[in-house]
Amino acid sequence: MLGSLQLLQPTTVDEASGALRDFAERGKIYAGGAELLLLMRHGLLQSEILVDVKKIERLHRIARYNGTLSVGACVTHHALELNPLVREHAPSFAAAESQVANVRVRNQGTLGGNLCFNDPHSDPGTVLLIHNSTVTLGRQRGERQLPLKDFFLDVYETALEPDELLLDVQIPALPGGMMSAYLRLHRFQRPTLGVAVAIRMNGGTIAESRLAVGCIGPKCQRLSELETKIHGTQLSEAKRIVAEQKNYLWGLLRPVDDLLGSADYKLYMTGVMLGDALEQTARSDHKSH
Ligand SMILES: Cc1cc2nc3c(=O)[nH]c(=O)nc-3n(C[C@H](O)[C@H](O)[C@H](O)COP(=O)(O)OP(=O)(O)OC[C@H]3O[C@@H](n4cnc5c(N)ncnc54)[C@H](O)[C@@H]3O)c2cc1C
């Protein structure tokens, strides 16, 4: 299969973007290839030119500036799962990365490839939402930043322009005193459901919360209305409120029936797992004091 393909290996964003512009539909960005090569092998995607972005140095950087972690698009899931800075800065993100697929896919697949492919059954996006993460997109004409929540448009659809690359992801630290958890439900390798929760407790009540759910519908989403509803409640009350939000969750998350479960099952489990994640997070907050 690879014999009939031309492989370009640009070393700058300008070169890569120029190639995407020049070759248009004939060219595709190639990072780890975990998704791309699979699609091509099954004849679901045709491409004549692969623009391999792994030689662009910036896309491999992990660094922290002023409380925000910046992760290059070509950093692999496995590197993220093990990196001490990532584990310290965003432990739930590192935990989510450690649960992606299997070690072979984690070694091959990159964070950028995962976010740009935007398969609904993915882990990292959900937990990145509770960090209010942003992405930097680049092309020959310059760079722009976008909140991650606006980067995901729909199933397999993102805000990337045809000649744009995802360069890096900025992950701000959670506010002081906030603890977080990422829980995932899966029967096969791909997750059926992923929930990410961050809360700050004050005197037994929830002073601040961030909730996100992924996998069950077209894209992962923050549950802002529910965050407001559980504000100032005790843990047991918050769990009750979350379990009763079927209509809200249905309308927002638009769950679908698929091979990983029925929409009803996924919705029911969303309530259960949000409750579990709240409990786990509150318990870790208690232990840390
Ligand atoms: C068997 C299997 C199981 C999996 N299980 C899970 C799982 O449990 N959880 C989970 O989250 N994911 C899972 N995945 C998905 C996996 O994490 C992604 O496939 C992987 O991260 C994609 O990264 P890649 O570098 O291989 O992307 P590629 O396959 O190289 O590219 C994927 C897409 O993104 C585009 N792209 C890549 N990099 C960039 C960039 N920098 N800028 C713009 N566009 C870009 C490519 O053009 C292509 O369209 C699974 C995949 C497989 C094959």
Side-chain angles (χ1 to χ4, degrees), residues 25 29 43 87 108 120 122 146 164 190 215 273:
E25 283 300 302
I29 297 186
R87 292 167 72 135
Q108 181 185 359
S122 297
L146 213 60
E164 256 180 340
R190 291 264 187 186
C215 307
M273 288 188 59

Side-chain angles (χ1 to χ4, degrees), residues 62 69 71 75-100 103 106-107:
I62 301 180
L69 188 75
V71 177
V75 178
T76 64
H77 300 298
H78 193 51
L80 287 166
E81 135 190 32
L82 298 179
N83 186 285
L85 187 57
V86 178
R87 292 167 72 135
E88 190 237 76
H89 182 89
S92 297
F93 172 54
E97 287 291 350
S98 74
Q99 296 175 68
V100 168
V103 73
R106 291 201 295 280
N107 256 322

Side-chain angles (χ1 to χ4, degrees), residues 28-36 38 53 73 77 99-101 105 108-110 112-114 116-117 121-124 160 164-166 184 189-191:
K28 289 277 173 296
I29 297 186
Y30 161 63
E35 298 288 14
L36 199 70
L38 205 62
V53 289
H77 300 298
Q99 296 175 68
V100 168
V105 172
Q108 181 185 359
T110 64
N114 185 291
C116 292
F117 194 56
H121 300 108
S122 297
D123 296 284
L160 273 173
E164 256 180 340
L165 284 76
L166 172 62
R184 167 194 214 260
Q189 264 172 6
R190 291 264 187 186

